[in-house]
Amino acid sequence: MENEKFFGVNETNITTPLSQPPLSFFKSSQRPSDLLLPSNNCFLNLNWENSMDHQQSAQFESALSSMVSSPTNIASSSSPSQLPSREDSFVIRELIGRLGSICNSGSGRGDICSGGTFSSNTSCYTTPLDSPPKLNLSMMDQQHGNLPHFPSLVPLPTPDPGFAERAARFSCFTGQFGPEMSYRSTTNTPRVDNGRLSRVSSNKDFGLEMEMRSGFNAVSRSTTPDNAGLRDESSALSEQIPVDDEANLKGPRKRKAASKAKSKTSAIDDANNSNAKRSKAGEAVEANGTNSINTEGKETKNTEKVVPEPLKDYIHVRARRGQATDSHSLAERVRREKISERMKFLQDLVPGCNKVTGKAVMLDEIINYVQSLQRQVEFLSMKLATVNPRLDFNMEALLSKDIRGSMPQLSGVYPLDSSAASGGAFTYVHDSSPQQGPPQLQNEAAQYFVNSSDPGLRLFPLDGFGEAASQFAAFWGDDLESVVQMGFSQNQSGISIDGSLPSAHMKVEL
Amino acid sequence: MHSKTLFKQDFLKKWVLGLQYYGCSTKEMSISERTKAIKLSSDVAMASCRDGKTCWSRAVITDASKQGENKSLVRKILGNEYEKLTKYSIRSLVCNKRVRSKKILRKSRKSRPLVVLASTVIAKRMVNKRTRMLKDLVPGGDSIDDSFLLEETLDYILSLKAQVDVMRRFVSASESLICK
């Protein structure tokens, strides 16, 4: 419905005088008469989380327990930081972004700010620029009219039982909402590119929710006596929000649904038909959910456990005006996701890669690592070739030694061995360069490797294998000899390290 | 961890088979030949340990068996699985041909006049360049998709690690034998 209109109004709100935005805003929410009250309300909502601590009664305990424990922490942590800024109306405008998130949490928005999603919210704190200010400003000027002294207002524990109920309701809808939102946070944090996209989404549905919440506030203020109707609204609103998240493929349909629910919520003023309305709203929500499920084809039935795709789809739809929903872009998205996942694995696998950000740099590291491993194989085979003048290895002795040496160790002290071995892999070339060392060191090692192995490859065809041992030193000079020496020293150091092990396989392992 | 150990044992067994093949041949070899032989046998052994599950192992095997003199080595190392694993050669050949044509395309595309580049374009180009490098490094990487390439790289790195580990043990063991 007014989604677009709302956004348009929203952007103009920033430039228009203070009293103007709330007017248009609440006109859209069909409660122009409650101009002063909703802002008041949303300001007081700051204390909801706090008041819950004092006022939660036994009947709301379940709902409150379903609420994530962190919102209270966040609210308590955010409210003090917010107090000084509230006193200064000019500072508020400058800190609009921050206040946007805070005001969000303060006005009972448990769903985005709840739990671990706080970080995601702060990450997108630049985006709510258009939506929160109107709340702030309206709050400001009306607060000036009503209650000139803010700080006294803020810590004020709300004696109104309706507040407790509302708080409980919000808590329950944060409870039903918590998983999804926290899920969003988990998807946001690991992926870098996701964060940027989610900003858009959170911005958009944030605005929508702001609208709806303010509508809710207006209605709630007017109908504070009948709490049942309020509950209906809150349930409708709260369930509207996941739909926004999920009905990502259907932008227009989503708007339609939003408007439907909106009209519904505005229609719900009576406590009498609350049950019927509630069930209707629930049905609408469910229908929307099934719609999104059908169109997605990837979503699970459980709306609280959303698969990563829908969220991103939603973002893309929002970003590209519903054009990127064809199967190609979906497949592309899946492919990109796969790539980033593999990249993460590789990051764990390749040493010195876990601090690197950026795909190109990471690929560089991976390439270096693969190259170094390949050169090690080359080098080792070369070493083996020099050690054994003919390829008739004394297999029995060797294998008995090798197996005896390596196998118990492989099965027994494997972690120690692997770390020592992989560490030693580099020390072959570069003396005692730690494996986890900076990438330059490894590059250096690889470089050194190239320098030392290339002339050898060129020169080796010249000499027969008989005099190889003598020519070996002459051709290679200090390079390989030092390398071999290093290998031996590595060997000895390995022995000294593994001194506690039986001597049978001391010589075998490095 | 256990599978890693098994992999190493398997690799060692197959590698020793390959080395025995060279040991049996009476022909005298230079150091470089021996180096090549050892490397080839270890590579083939490592690839055969993967049972043809991955692209790179199949590519290694097919590359090795392309050359006539190495065919018998590959046959010896692979044993019964020879027929099964070298079957893939046709497919990979086809893939290679396709890639060649792609390269030609790329060349022709390069002649386009350069526009002023955005940073995203530059970043994408950097990534593409490195991906191509990685494709050259990983055997059989020419013919596979990017996401698949990373998977292959993962597997390849793990196998290379195991190979290096086993080879180092082997080298040190033979060194200690000689020193005695």
Side-chain angles (χ1 to χ4, degrees):
Chain A
M1 176 180 68
E2 289 103 352
N3 223 355
E4 252 136 2
K5 195 177 120 199
F6 173 71
F7 284 130
V9 164
N10 216 357
E11 276 157 29
T12 57
N13 273 351
I14 302 169
T15 54
T16 47
L18 294 184
S19 58
Q20 191 59 29
L23 242 177
S24 62
F25 174 62
F26 290 118
K27 216 179 281 168
S28 74
S29 66
Q30 299 181 354
R31 290 287 157 186
S33 62
D34 295 314
L35 249 180
L36 304 182
L37 295 171
S39 59
N40 218 347
N41 189 13
C42 73
F43 189 55
L44 280 175
N45 282 349
L46 269 176
N47 294 336
W48 280 11
E49 266 84 20
N50 295 336
S51 67
M52 265 156 38
D53 293 335
H54 307 299
Q55 298 200 352
Q56 55 181 286
S57 50
Q59 53 183 357
F60 296 122
E61 262 182 10
S62 63
L64 284 169
S65 64
S66 73
M67 186 175 195
V68 203
S69 59
S70 37
T72 59
N73 300 333
I74 285 165
S76 58
S77 66
S78 64
S79 51
S81 67
Q82 165 186 15
L83 286 181
S85 60
R86 284 201 176 252
E87 291 174 1
D88 196 348
S89 64
F90 293 103
V91 175
I92 282 187
R93 289 203 204 168
E94 290 172 5
L95 297 175
I96 266 168
R98 200 176 121 228
L99 271 176
S101 60
I102 292 168
C103 180
N104 225 4
S105 73
S107 52
R109 243 342 268 313
D111 40 7
I112 274 193
C113 282
S114 71
T117 57
F118 193 68
S119 60
S120 77
N121 203 16
T122 52
S123 74
C124 62
Y125 71 95
T126 53
T127 51
L129 259 174
D130 39 4
S131 36
K134 68 183 181 300
L135 262 185
N136 262 337
L137 299 178
S138 67
M139 189 160 42
M140 283 313 294
D141 56 353
Q142 271 123 38
Q143 286 303 329
H144 276 298
N146 288 340
L147 300 155
H149 198 45
F150 294 138
S152 69
L153 180 81
V154 174
L156 173 89
T158 56
D160 188 8
F163 268 128
E165 287 207 359
R166 253 173 284 150
R169 246 181 293 113
F170 263 104
S171 71
C172 76
F173 94 69
T174 54
Q176 84 190 22
F177 234 24
E180 189 195 335
M181 286 302 168
S182 60
Y183 156 75
R184 176 195 280 193
S185 79
T186 54
T187 52
N188 275 341
T189 39
R191 288 185 193 124
V192 186
D193 53 336
N194 231 0
R196 203 195 312 128
L197 294 173
S198 73
R199 257 179 229 176
V200 181
S201 80
S202 56
N203 179 22
K204 298 291 185 178
D205 65 358
F206 176 41
L208 192 70
E209 281 168 76
M210 286 294 284
E211 177 194 19
M212 293 202 292
R213 200 185 334 109
S214 54
F216 158 64
N217 280 336
V219 176
S220 73
R221 239 337 182 188
S222 66
T223 61
T224 23
D226 45 359
N227 288 319
L230 272 178
R231 200 168 295 143
D232 277 347
E233 280 161 14
S234 71
S235 67
L237 284 170
S238 65
E239 285 176 357
Q240 187 60 39
I241 294 152
V243 172
D244 293 342
D245 278 338
E246 285 158 7
N248 29 30
L249 286 184
K250 302 287 175 183
R253 183 178 293 186
K254 186 194 75 179
R255 262 173 225 127
K256 227 189 289 169
S259 65
K260 218 196 288 175
K262 185 83 181 304
S263 62
K264 215 166 267 172
T265 53
S266 58
I268 301 171
D269 277 341
D270 303 343
N272 300 331
N273 53 358
S274 63
N275 282 329
K277 291 279 180 183
R278 183 191 297 176
S279 61
K280 224 190 251 179
E283 277 170 13
V285 165
E286 274 183 15
N288 281 330
T290 49
N291 266 342
S292 62
I293 285 168
N294 288 338
T295 49
E296 272 303 305
K298 281 174 197 166
E299 280 188 22
T300 54
K301 294 287 178 186
N302 193 0
T303 50
E304 295 185 357
K305 258 196 189 174
V306 191
V307 202
E309 272 79 20
L311 204 68
K312 269 181 272 162
D313 284 346
Y314 168 67
I315 293 150
H316 257 272
V317 171
R318 295 301 300 191
R320 296 189 191 172
R321 288 270 157 202
Q323 287 176 358
T325 57
D326 52 336
S327 60
H328 289 287
S329 57
L330 280 177
E332 173 64 19
R333 216 165 293 141
V334 168
R335 192 186 77 97
R336 253 181 278 140
E337 191 187 324
K338 230 190 227 171
I339 286 179
S340 61
E341 186 190 336
R342 303 276 150 65
M343 277 296 212
K344 237 177 286 158
F345 280 131
L346 276 169
Q347 221 171 3
D348 295 339
L349 193 64
V350 177
C353 204
N354 39 10
K355 294 180 198 93
V356 178
T357 55
K359 204 178 170 189
V361 188
M362 244 171 77
L363 278 174
D364 258 348
E365 289 296 316
I366 290 164
I367 287 168
N368 279 338
Y369 191 57
V370 171
Q371 271 176 339
S372 75
L373 280 174
Q374 281 174 344
R375 292 209 177 100
Q376 274 174 46
V377 169
E378 209 166 290
F379 173 74
L380 282 169
S381 53
M382 207 184 304
K383 197 173 175 188
L384 209 56
T386 53
V387 164
N388 302 282
R390 275 156 291 160
L391 280 174
D392 53 343
F393 297 99
N394 191 358
M395 283 302 165
E396 286 75 32
L398 210 69
L399 280 185
S400 66
K401 253 189 164 321
D402 197 67
I403 300 263
R404 236 194 323 154
S406 59
M407 287 321 152
Q409 199 204 9
L410 273 176
S411 54
V413 222
Y414 185 71
L416 179 142
D417 163 61
S418 74
S419 67
S422 50
F426 283 104
T427 57
Y428 260 111
V429 188
H430 203 274
D431 190 22
S432 73
S433 76
Q435 198 205 7
Q436 294 292 338
Q440 304 100 293
L441 216 61
Q442 288 170 22
N443 289 349
E444 230 175 86
Q447 209 62 38
Y448 188 37
F449 215 110
V450 179
N451 293 340
S452 62
S453 63
D454 277 349
L457 279 178
R458 256 183 275 120
L459 291 173
F460 267 136
L462 298 175
D463 46 353
F465 79 93
E467 64 243 18
S470 58
Q471 290 192 351
F472 176 78
F475 274 116
W476 283 57
D478 298 330
D479 262 2
L480 189 67
E481 204 150 45
S482 64
V483 168
V484 173
Q485 282 303 322
M486 267 179 233
F488 277 123
S489 68
Q490 170 69 22
N491 198 356
Q492 274 146 20
S493 73
I495 287 172
S496 64
I497 286 168
D498 301 330
S500 60
L501 295 170
S503 60
H505 56 88
M506 271 201 318
K507 280 177 186 169
V508 178
E509 71 199 23
L510 267 183
Chain B
M1 190 201 289
H2 190 59
S3 65
K4 223 177 199 176
T5 316
L6 280 182
F7 180 80
K8 281 180 185 172
Q9 285 177 358
D10 204 15
F11 164 65
L12 187 64
K13 243 183 263 167
K14 289 185 173 171
W15 189 32
V16 165
L17 269 181
L19 289 180
Q20 275 171 346
Y21 165 80
Y22 281 114
C24 291
S25 66
T26 52
K27 179 179 79 167
E28 287 189 351
M29 301 165 89
S30 69
I31 283 188
S32 70
E33 276 172 354
R34 269 181 284 143
T35 306
K36 271 183 192 166
I38 290 169
K39 188 171 182 306
L40 186 77
S41 58
S42 73
D43 280 344
V44 170
M46 182 179 65
S48 68
C49 285
R50 297 299 299 155
D51 284 337
K53 279 175 198 152
T54 51
C55 268
W56 66 263
S57 60
R58 294 197 295 259
V60 163
I61 288 170
T62 48
D63 282 350
S65 57
K66 252 182 231 163
Q67 289 141 356
E69 66 263 32
N70 297 330
K71 217 170 214 166
S72 48
L73 165 78
V74 176
R75 197 184 287 273
K76 169 129 189 175
I77 289 175
L78 293 184
N80 301 331
E81 295 163 346
Y82 179 75
E83 293 302 323
K84 194 184 87 186
L85 289 180
T86 49
K87 238 182 355 195
Y88 296 103
S89 62
I90 300 158
R91 196 192 296 166
S92 70
L93 276 177
V94 169
C95 287
N96 281 341
K97 260 174 198 168
R98 207 180 293 150
V99 165
R100 238 171 262 146
S101 64
K102 256 186 201 169
K103 272 176 188 164
I104 292 166
L105 271 180
R106 200 179 293 143
K107 259 181 198 168
S108 67
R109 213 183 292 157
K110 263 182 193 169
S111 61
R112 266 191 326 188
L114 287 177
V115 203
V116 180
L117 296 175
S119 58
T120 54
V121 178
I122 292 171
K124 204 174 276 179
R125 221 167 255 188
M126 275 171 81
V127 169
N128 282 344
K129 193 178 147 200
R130 277 155 181 89
T131 311
R132 237 173 288 142
M133 275 172 77
L134 196 61
K135 276 185 180 178
D136 289 343
L137 273 183
V138 177
D142 298 333
S143 53
I144 53 181
D145 180 47
D146 280 10
S147 63
F148 205 56
L149 172 75
L150 287 181
E151 204 174 326
E152 288 284 312
T153 314
L154 265 173
D155 196 273
Y156 188 56
I157 285 177
L158 280 175
S159 310
L160 272 180
K161 266 183 170 174
Q163 189 189 11
V164 166
D165 197 32
V166 172
M167 283 178 87
R168 281 220 338 279
R169 283 167 204 287
F170 204 82
V171 166
S172 56
S174 55
E175 268 174 355
S176 66
L177 260 189
I178 286 171
C179 285
K180 257 182 191 175

